[in-house]
Amino acid sequence: MNIPKIPLGQGVEWLEKWLTTYFGPVFDVIHAVIGGMVKGIENILTFLPALVLIVIIAALAYWIGKWRMALFAVIGLLLIDNLGLWGPSMQSLALVLAASILAVLIGVPIGILCAQSNAVKNTITPILDFMQTMPAFVYLLPAVSFFSLGVVPGVIASIIFAIPPTIRLTNLGIRQVSPELVEAADAFGSTPSQKLFKLQLPIALPTIMAGINQTIMLSLSMVVISSMIGAQGVGALVYRAVSQAKTGAGFEAGIAIVVIAILLDRLTQNALKPKQR
Amino acid sequence: MPIIEVKQLTKVFGHDAGRALPLLEQGWSKEKIAQEVKLTVGVNKAEFSIEEGEIFVIMGLSGSGKSTLVRLLNRLIEPTGGQVLFKGNDVVGMNPEQLRQFRRKNIGMVFQKFALFPHRTVLANAEYGLEVQGVEKKKRTELAMQALELVGLKGWEHHRPDQLSGGMQQRVGLARGLANDPDILLMDEAFSALDPLIRKDMQQELLELQARVKKTIVFITHDLDEALRIGDRIALMKDGVIVQIGTPEEILIQPANKYVERFVEDVDLSKVLTAAHVMRQPEMVRPERGPRVALQLMRDSGVSSLYVADKEMKLQGVITAEDAAQAIKENKTILEVLRREIPRVHPDTLLNDLFELMSETHLPVAVVDESDRLKGIVIKGAVLSALAGNAVPEGEHV
């Protein structure tokens, strides 16, 4: 028996072409919005002199964590500045923040929908599995053909890669709220949205924050990959150093990513703790 | 008019549960329906009504359907068939908005495992019902504080529930249920998760609270002692069916069937029956009648002592045959020889609390009300006979 090869690849390419042809204007709007957002964040980050921003971040770290975190922020960020990587680092940070903010804005509502309907959850779950396991390089290509080269397809690819934890953990957090509490809220005549905002989201918040933290970390891990399609920043420096076999330059840029990663991780992990007391 | 009327209320769990209704109508049992159509009957044609201000206890073992039944009243579980009427209005037919208003204004609930919101303070928990109604902050804080004060939690309002003991947590639950001043309070095994001693305190406090706020309370329990202690009336459930409804006495003294009888046979009657249940008409004399009359009365009725009470039935004391004889000899009045130090108890005293008193005296115990009026006497034989499970004949009540 000879079964012909299923033309899956052709199908995907046809779909890609069809989308670019008929949804071009939509993609243009998305491009403008995301591009503007990244640029805006970058402008805010680079508007202030590096030293001023370091002081602000250190103060934030002190407020959220304690002096050890503030100390790490000061030393780490001063090192980045000293290595001459401040500008590119802020570019990458802008990309990560834009992708993370959008992922949270899209992901939390989808997670809430999943928690409220098994049908939605059963539809979304395999899509999330697909998004997380499909190698990220593969959806860089359609992203480029929809949004051309630059930071925007990088943000889109980062969102696709990083959004699943936010959706999954929002869903999980809400579903974990004990049925007795939900019953109590019902017994006192709560509307569905009162139940959501007064009970389910507050109780699920630590779990949701864990998801957001993972989303930020995953989108940071996309920084280098995004640079392959023209996103600027420390990711691009790493990419260039690797392709030119410059170990030292690669290490310096890598250190900058590590510092940003640790700061983002600790800040988001601890953000909720003081308020819970 | 009863505040709640329940007619043919039925809950069947499972797919397309409605098909069980005609089968129940034909008298199929819970087991038969479970075996042949794979449906679970939770509540089978329950029928009762609750009067305003009453503590109505629904009691049964686990799996008897009592927790399902109470949730049918506020539709936390949707009934499969039958009616719930609140002041004559059909609860089952309410649309979601009407149901929400009903739950907000008319019917509060207290849960077995407290179900307090862990992220809110004690005060914010008590405020919850008012908050979802949209009552403004100042007003709802005021009302919630009143409710917390009522349950004895003043000063704890800014703590979190997990900082409180079990008994205190359930007080928060109670305050939350009372804060929006509902007509009816549903209490689902509200004290079952508490230690026995705290539990008894809470039962007592609930009774005192009820005397002040006069709510209609539907109380679910699996504990017969609890049911007997707090219930004005008790509905006994088994396999989703209400087997008997009656006052605690009726349930104890006239069990409707073998099941109820078995259920109540282990009850420690001494903790249920009171002095009022076993007291008899006293042999008595008024002081101005004189010792001779007293002695004659004693001879006539074959007793060795008489209770002395004035025209208002106020108890003065006891006179024995010897005292009377002496008074005649020394020409004294009854009041001069009478023994005033005699054991007295209130009609609500439990038999359990009478034992010690009775062992210390050879005289019968006098039962008097708040203004010292003689209501009856308790003799040892009557107590023993009541404990043996023999009903006190109506005629011998005072």
Side-chain angles (χ1 to χ4, degrees), chain A residues 178 180-192 194-200 202-203 275-277, chain B residues 71 74 76 100 103-104 107-109 111 113 115-120 128-129 131-132 160 176-177 180:
Chain A
S178 111
E180 284 138 26
L181 296 183
V182 175
E183 192 178 49
D186 281 332
F188 285 97
S190 314
T191 61
Q194 284 173 332
K195 205 161 62 184
L196 183 65
F197 288 106
K198 291 181 193 295
L199 178 71
Q200 291 167 317
I203 290 181
K275 283 172 206 155
Q276 275 183 335
R277 230 169 272 142
Chain B
R71 281 168 174 72
N74 63 353
L76 283 176
R100 258 199 296 281
R103 288 172 175 172
R104 286 175 180 181
I107 194 158
M109 195 160 179
F111 297 86
K113 292 181 192 148
L116 300 177
F117 303 132
H119 58 298
R120 290 173 155 244
Y128 186 84
E131 190 179 322
V132 295
R160 299 225 171 238
R176 182 176 63 178
N180 46 352

Side-chain angles (χ1 to χ4, degrees), chain B residues 10 71 78 93 107 115 163 171 186 190 213 262 275 304 356 369:
Chain B
T10 302
R71 281 168 174 72
E78 287 292 338
I107 194 158
Q163 297 172 301
R171 284 163 204 259
L186 306 178
V213 298
R262 277 227 316 279
S304 60
E356 207 184 322
D369 66 8

Side-chain angles (χ1 to χ4, degrees), chain A residues 108-183:
Chain A
V108 171
I110 294 179
I112 292 171
L113 287 179
C114 286
Q116 283 172 344
S117 146
N118 282 331
V120 174
K121 184 190 146 229
N122 294 338
T123 319
I124 297 281
T125 307
I127 300 177
L128 295 183
D129 294 338
F130 186 89
M131 282 158 64
Q132 274 189 308
T133 46
M134 178 66 87
F137 296 99
V138 177
Y139 45 74
L140 279 182
L141 296 173
V144 167
S145 70
F146 296 148
F147 300 103
S148 76
L149 289 172
V151 74
V152 176
V155 171
I156 298 282
S158 300
I159 292 174
I160 295 174
F161 183 67
I163 203 171
T166 292
I167 298 177
R168 282 189 212 275
L169 287 171
T170 302
N171 167 54
L172 180 71
I174 293 177
R175 282 178 188 263
Q176 272 175 345
V177 176
S178 111
E180 284 138 26
L181 296 183
V182 175
E183 192 178 49

Side-chain angles (χ1 to χ4, degrees), chain A residues 85 234 237-238 240-242 244-255:
Chain A
L85 296 173
V234 267
L237 299 183
V238 171
R240 201 173 310 148
V242 169
Q244 296 172 0
K246 286 185 178 164
T247 313
F251 190 77
E252 285 177 3
I255 282 287

Side-chain angles (χ1 to χ4, degrees), chain B residues 275 277-283 303 305 307 345 351 354-355 358 361-367 376-387 392 396:
Chain B
H277 287 119
V278 297
M279 67 189 183
R280 310 220 164 147
Q281 191 74 264
E283 303 295 339
V303 293
S305 62
Y307 283 82
V345 295
L351 294 193
L354 274 178
F355 295 151
M358 297 198 73
T361 171
H362 63 278
L363 290 170
V365 174
V367 182
I377 58 167
V378 177
I379 62 171
K380 287 174 187 165
V383 173
L384 291 176
S385 144
L387 290 182
V392 182
E396 292 189 34

